[in-house]
Amino acid sequence: MNFKKVITNLFSVLFSTECRINSEFRFSQNELNEIISNSKKENLKYFKSLSNIKQLSAFDLSYLMSNVTLDEKKISIIKHACRLFNEKEFQSLGQTYSDFIFRVSANINYLNDDNLDLFKELVQCKNELYDFAYALKNPLRVLNKKCDKSFSYAFENVFAE
């Protein structure tokens, strides 16, 4: 009887200890090792602030850490861009969240808080273009072309009876 009591006490203590373990990280150890080993050394100081963005997967985080030279301004732009992403709007067009992050990283040097809405409209277009440098450098010119109301026809002659 005494042995049984000791075992049950031991299991109850182990179970309560296991329940008290609070893992604060959402990535596995293998994912963390991969992210850190592939990232640029100057980006390691931004790892915690990027990992706090809940929408970013380990793959997205690894891509940003290894391919973009980060600073505080770029981190805030990434956070703002992540808030702009709407799953229903983008997935209906066949675009994934990772596609969106790739486009953000390709254009991060041209993005700011003012042109993020224009960037979202450009990303929602069905195209394979990832570099929107021209449009983001001159947003007024792109917006004026979008509002052009002139008519164009795909044929040359129109015959009316």
Side-chain angles (χ1 to χ4, degrees), residues 10-158:
L10 180 66
F11 279 127
S12 67
V13 168
L14 285 176
F15 181 73
S16 66
T17 305
E18 183 179 315
C19 289
R20 277 190 239 144
I21 294 174
N22 184 8
S23 81
E24 291 189 22
F25 237 67
R26 58 191 174 104
F27 303 120
S28 70
Q29 188 63 43
N30 291 337
E31 290 172 333
L32 288 173
N33 290 338
E34 184 180 336
I35 291 169
I36 291 172
S37 67
N38 291 329
S39 66
K40 294 180 180 181
K41 290 182 181 179
E42 61 269 10
N43 289 341
L44 287 176
K45 59 185 172 186
Y46 301 110
F47 177 73
K48 183 168 175 70
S49 58
L50 272 180
S51 65
N52 287 336
I53 302 173
K54 298 294 184 199
Q55 297 95 340
L56 293 177
S57 67
F59 178 71
D60 298 332
L61 186 64
S62 176
Y63 182 79
L64 287 170
M65 294 284 290
S66 63
N67 291 323
V68 178
T69 304
L70 298 171
D71 60 16
E72 291 297 326
K73 180 184 172 197
K74 291 178 183 176
I75 298 287
S76 69
I77 289 171
I78 291 170
K79 286 179 184 177
H80 189 135
C82 289
R83 285 190 298 262
L84 285 177
F85 183 80
N86 184 345
E87 243 179 274
K88 290 180 183 178
E89 292 176 1
F90 285 93
Q91 286 186 349
S92 66
L93 300 170
Q95 297 179 14
T96 64
Y97 190 76
S98 292
D99 286 334
F100 181 73
I101 294 299
F102 293 159
R103 289 183 180 193
V104 168
S105 68
N107 298 290
I108 193 80
N109 293 325
Y110 306 108
L111 290 174
N112 56 40
D113 290 332
D114 299 331
N115 63 6
L116 275 173
D117 293 326
L118 173 66
F119 174 75
K120 181 182 176 184
E121 289 181 27
L122 290 171
V123 171
Q124 286 177 332
C125 296
K126 280 197 167 196
N127 59 25
E128 297 302 318
L129 183 65
Y130 277 79
D131 186 13
F132 301 122
Y134 176 74
L136 293 173
K137 283 181 186 176
N138 304 312
L140 291 178
R141 185 176 295 168
V142 174
L143 289 174
N144 286 340
K145 284 183 181 179
K146 186 176 105 175
C147 295
D148 189 15
K149 300 284 185 198
S150 64
F151 294 103
S152 335
Y153 298 99
F155 44 87
E156 190 173 313
N157 297 327
V158 177

